[in-house]
Amino acid sequence: MKLGYYPGCSSAGTAKEFDTSLKEVFSVLQVDLEELKDWSCCGATSAHVTSHLLSVALPARNLLLAKKQGFEDLLAPCAACYSRLVSSQREMKLDESVRMKVEDLLEEKVTNGLEIINLIQIFNKIGLDKIKEKKQVDISKLKVACYYGCLLVRPVEVALADDMENPDSMEAIVKAAGGKTIDWNFKTECCGAAHSIAHTNIVEKLSKKIIDNAEKHGADVIVVACPMCHSNLDMRQLNIIKDFKDHKPIPILYLSQLIGLSMGIDEKKLGFDAHYISPKPLLEKMRAVEIKVGGAK
Amino acid sequence: MKNLNTKDFKKKLVAITSQDPALCYQCGKCSAGCPVREFAEAPPNRIVRYVQLGEYEMAMSSPTIWLCAGCQTCTSRCPQEFDLAKFMDAVRELALIYGAVSGDKKSEDFHKAFLNQIKNFGRAYEIGMLIDYKLKSKDFMQDMDLAPKTLLKGKLGLLPHIVKGNKQIKKMFKKTGEEKK
């Protein structure tokens, strides 16, 4: 399968470990990623809050590139990019006047029918059995809170075919990798998203609620599939630590990093040192388990 | 506010959202689940009410429209299938078109700084965006303690990547801007 890859802008900066861990995991799973040539930004939040036309047209440029470069499937691991790409294709299909305006901006005809895939969907496509097969390291002592945030589950027409209020498709992937998942209440609550810079206080408050709830339900780690969620829960946890002396830090991993861990991929290659909240306690907990398992053999 | 023609506002709003705001019967389910409700002076359903009553200026100048994080919870739970998240997008866009007094200058500055990067380079260049935002907002000290750590982690690309098709992108921005006039 020739799988197109749309890394998204954060892959070169704040979410570089998402990109590197994903590539490591895919090389173990023998999935070839081919980066979309000359891709541009999807416009993210800023386009759709200020110009409807741009918010459809910016992703459309990439959809068109994908078709021209012969892709039928395009992986967009960032939940926000995924949402914008799908919304754009959907709107142009449903509303002819929007499609015509976009074609006028691009000075080209747009085509339909590209399959845009998010991180959860690609793991399901590859097959959970494959993830199980490649398991090298026991991660069963880690209690994992799967955090979906907003755009993986909403709006329903665009996002996963999963329960919007209580999804469990990410849990299935973590379980396949050998992790134990927890039940908790805040898996689809918003972290404040793009307010990180202009309204840091809002992000801090919303992220604290999410982290506190995960902790209350016994989580050792929160797993995410969105760079914005990661940045808010990880980097902004520093603000929470500063303001709440009793806050117990919880590491935030990308789903690809946790799976990589189960495959025995070196933690450096998975980009663990790029986090603000150190995932070290997790590794220690996991290794303590490894020794025990080894001893019993 | 420049040329606020009420018929024109309603027409543009419906053109963007493809929905009539009269669909909303003010049950408040959206506001009950809204994550930024506690930070906003007016709940989201009140913004719809303003528009239903023709109080467009109140809607466009409310901080609520900028505090909306686009989480889609309201849209997903609305019993009338009214796409409130898209409605919020549209009111913000119209607030910029009509030059309404901004209810939240910081958010506006941030989004403008972000879009400037796409316009110039084709991709979101994070350092450029932060500098642009700081110049606009004059909030120079915020997050400066994070800067060394972030650079050391290699999390901020020092130079922008310039997309080859950036002429096309610049043109797209230009044309979109012209259409608004």
Side-chain angles (χ1 to χ4, degrees):
Chain A
M1 154 166 109
K2 186 183 169 186
L3 182 62
Y5 178 45
Y6 180 81
C9 299
S10 58
S11 67
T14 44
K16 62 170 185 137
E17 72 274 25
F18 191 17
D19 175 73
T20 47
S21 61
L22 196 70
K23 283 176 180 158
E24 289 291 336
V25 166
F26 277 21
S27 101
V28 173
L29 291 170
Q30 291 164 321
V31 176
D32 290 326
L33 285 182
E34 207 178 311
E35 188 168 321
L36 184 67
K37 286 187 199 82
D38 209 41
W39 59 270
S40 51
C41 180
C42 69
T45 310
S46 298
H48 79 74
V49 302
T50 53
S51 164
H52 174 245
L53 186 56
L54 262 185
S55 79
V56 184
L58 287 170
R61 177 182 180 271
N62 295 293
L63 299 174
L64 198 61
L65 282 181
K67 274 281 170 188
K68 278 187 195 164
Q69 291 170 29
F71 294 114
E72 280 172 16
D73 307 276
L74 187 69
L75 171 69
C78 164
C81 297
Y82 166 80
S83 180
R84 292 318 311 163
L85 291 170
V86 177
S87 299
S88 165
Q89 180 161 270
R90 192 170 173 274
E91 273 201 55
M92 289 188 291
K93 194 178 166 191
L94 295 179
D95 192 334
E96 205 187 333
S97 67
V98 173
R99 182 178 52 80
M100 281 160 63
K101 276 186 198 162
V102 170
E103 285 176 346
D104 180 49
L105 279 190
L106 292 171
E107 296 173 352
E108 269 174 288
K109 289 258 172 254
V110 296
T111 46
N112 243 313
L114 187 74
E115 193 178 353
I116 302 143
I117 308 167
N118 65 32
L119 190 66
I120 313 272
Q121 289 163 337
I122 194 66
F123 283 129
N124 279 316
K125 264 185 181 254
I126 294 166
L128 300 187
D129 288 350
K130 278 242 173 89
I131 295 174
K132 226 180 248 176
E133 250 170 56
K134 300 289 179 190
K135 204 164 69 186
Q136 295 275 337
V137 173
D138 182 14
I139 59 165
S140 65
K141 269 285 163 88
L142 301 182
K143 284 190 229 149
V144 182
C146 292
Y147 176 64
Y148 295 76
C150 304
L151 299 178
L152 278 177
V153 286
R154 292 183 298 264
V156 271
E157 300 82 14
V158 170
L160 286 172
D162 194 348
D163 190 319
M164 178 179 86
E165 303 282 356
N166 189 19
D168 61 3
S169 45
M170 206 192 305
E171 275 85 349
I173 298 168
V174 170
K175 281 176 191 159
K180 288 270 180 329
T181 58
I182 59 155
D183 279 331
W184 62 308
N185 310 97
F186 276 46
K187 50 169 111 165
T188 63
E189 287 296 316
C190 177
C191 67
H195 285 320
S196 181
I197 307 284
H199 292 292
T200 314
N201 63 320
I202 294 184
V203 166
E204 182 185 338
K205 228 173 164 179
L206 295 179
S207 296
K208 183 174 168 20
K209 280 188 199 171
I210 293 163
I211 296 168
D212 284 354
N213 190 268
E215 201 202 331
K216 201 176 121 194
H217 289 86
D220 299 309
V221 56
I222 300 175
V223 165
V224 301
C226 168
M228 200 72 241
C229 299
H230 189 275
S231 158
N232 284 345
L233 296 180
D234 180 51
M235 186 174 83
R236 294 305 180 196
Q237 210 176 136
L238 296 180
N239 300 49
I240 300 174
I241 292 169
K242 214 191 275 171
D243 293 345
F244 299 88
K245 296 284 169 260
D246 58 340
H247 178 80
K248 194 180 140 236
I250 291 192
I252 317 294
L253 292 190
Y254 285 106
L255 180 61
S256 46
Q257 289 179 308
L258 186 77
I259 294 175
L261 210 55
S262 81
M263 291 173 167
I265 300 170
D266 186 72
E267 66 212 57
K268 272 210 182 101
K269 284 187 180 166
L270 293 172
F272 276 30
D273 49 2
H275 294 184
Y276 294 86
I277 305 297
S278 169
K280 243 189 177 162
L282 284 186
L283 300 172
E284 279 160 14
K285 189 166 179 180
M286 214 181 68
R287 291 218 176 92
V289 177
E290 269 177 73
I291 294 161
K292 217 169 104 193
V293 171
K297 267 181 192 167
Chain B
M1 203 182 315
K2 63 178 179 198
N3 335 310
L4 177 59
N5 173 321
T6 50
K7 264 191 194 149
D8 188 48
F9 178 96
K10 188 91 185 281
K11 211 176 109 196
K12 280 189 173 135
L13 184 82
V14 174
I16 297 171
T17 59
S18 318
Q19 272 186 323
D20 187 344
L23 264 177
C24 165
Y25 51 48
Q26 293 292 319
C27 71
K29 197 170 181 178
C30 48
S31 300
C34 176
V36 297
R37 166 66 188 99
E38 62 179 296
F39 309 101
E41 164 189 274
N45 63 306
R46 196 177 301 158
I47 309 300
V48 188
R49 195 70 181 137
Y50 290 154
V51 170
Q52 288 172 336
L53 295 172
E55 296 288 353
Y56 304 135
E57 209 169 330
M58 284 177 82
M60 287 189 285
S61 299
S62 167
T64 304
I65 60 171
W66 293 101
L67 286 179
C68 162
C71 77
Q72 309 278 342
T73 307
C74 50
T75 297
S76 305
R77 291 179 184 168
C78 177
Q80 283 286 78
E81 298 185 1
F82 181 63
D83 190 345
L84 183 52
K86 201 169 184 186
F87 169 89
M88 287 290 181
D89 283 347
V91 177
R92 278 182 289 233
E93 181 171 353
L94 292 170
L96 294 177
I97 292 174
Y98 289 114
V101 177
S102 179
D104 178 9
K105 189 78 180 25
K106 277 179 139 190
S107 292
E108 222 185 287
D109 286 343
F110 169 78
H111 293 305
K112 284 179 181 164
F114 189 96
L115 288 174
N116 271 342
Q117 309 312 307
I118 310 177
K119 188 166 76 186
N120 292 332
F121 307 116
R123 289 186 195 166
Y125 167 48
E126 286 164 332
I127 290 188
M129 188 267 291
L130 287 171
I131 294 172
D132 192 340
Y133 171 72
K134 283 184 185 295
L135 289 174
K136 284 189 167 79
S137 67
K138 312 269 186 293
D139 189 356
F140 295 108
M141 288 323 286
Q142 190 206 336
D143 289 335
M144 284 317 274
D145 52 333
L146 277 174
K149 220 176 195 172
T150 307
L151 284 171
L152 274 178
K153 288 181 185 298
K155 283 201 155 204
L156 284 174
L158 289 175
L159 294 170
H161 174 100
I162 302 172
V163 171
K164 283 193 205 115
N166 81 323
K167 264 197 190 138
Q168 181 192 23
I169 296 165
K170 269 195 183 134
K171 212 167 168 187
M172 286 162 69
F173 271 87
K174 201 172 159 231
K175 270 193 180 173
T176 318
E178 277 165 4
E179 185 163 294
K180 277 185 189 165
K181 279 171 198 162

